[in-house]
Amino acid sequence: MKWTIHQLHQFRHKEMAIDEYVDVSDLKEIDKLIRDISLVHVQGKADIGSTKFTFHLQVSGTMVLPCSRTLVDVSYPFSIETTETFFMNDYDAVSTEEDTHLVKDDKVDLLPIVKELILLEVPLQIFAEEGTVQDGAPQSGEGWEVIKEEQWNAIIEERAKQKVDPRLAALAKFFDKDKNE
């Protein structure tokens, strides 16, 4: 994922295909939410000009992140499409919609850009499937348990049907009076 300017200029009149698997496991040290990450598949092509190198890339892989509710591991597949352009000189860099970079030390290195794109792909929240929750946080304890929304609604309806405490009966009539007005 790193080329010298001389190597790139050899592809000047023909298409340069990119199809590599790269190890970006050091992202686990940068973002502690990433528990694991597979080898990342980088595919695409490069258009080589005299002062401009344009890379059209498809970056895909899978990272393991913690569930936002239960902290259980969740596999999160990602696929990123990007176009990155490298310019030899400052004055060649024209304001465009593409992501632009300057060539440093006569080398083009795509790996830091791929890592940055993956870090931007980490979601703020991710939730595990219903069936995998047993492995995560406890679902019950002494005097409590996690219930579904339907169960909660049934409990609320049941309490609404219960008799009103005689000491609060006058208060219930007060609210009925407000409804009639």
Side-chain angles (χ1 to χ4, degrees), residues 23 69 87-88 95 110 129 131 135:
D23 180 17
R69 279 191 210 123
F87 288 101
M88 293 284 290
S95 177
L110 289 178
E129 297 289 326
D135 299 335

Side-chain angles (χ1 to χ4, degrees), residues 8 11 14-18 44-48 53-56:
L8 289 173
F11 290 96
K14 54 187 172 184
E15 185 176 288
M16 178 181 157
I18 300 169
K45 66 176 187 162
D47 299 326
I48 310 300
F53 310 107
T54 304
F55 295 87
H56 307 279

Side-chain angles (χ1 to χ4, degrees), residues 60-122:
S60 58
T62 303
M63 60 180 113
V64 177
L65 304 167
C67 172
S68 297
R69 279 191 210 123
T70 62
L71 300 178
V72 69
D73 287 349
V74 178
S75 290
Y76 181 73
F78 60 90
S79 181
I80 307 163
E81 288 189 31
T82 186
T83 300
E84 304 291 334
T85 304
F86 287 82
F87 288 101
M88 293 284 290
N89 304 308
D90 286 342
Y91 54 87
D92 289 332
V94 187
S95 177
T96 63
E97 292 183 20
E98 302 170 341
D99 291 327
T100 59
H101 313 277
L102 288 174
V103 174
K104 295 178 184 173
D105 301 327
D106 289 335
K107 292 181 183 159
V108 172
D109 189 5
L110 289 178
L111 192 57
I113 294 167
V114 169
K115 289 179 181 181
E116 180 181 335
L117 290 169
I118 293 169
L119 287 173
L120 290 172
E121 197 66 21
V122 174

Side-chain angles (χ1 to χ4, degrees), residues 126-140:
I126 187 167
F127 299 106
E129 297 289 326
E130 286 293 321
T132 61
V133 173
Q134 303 92 344
D135 299 335
Q139 299 298 300
S140 63

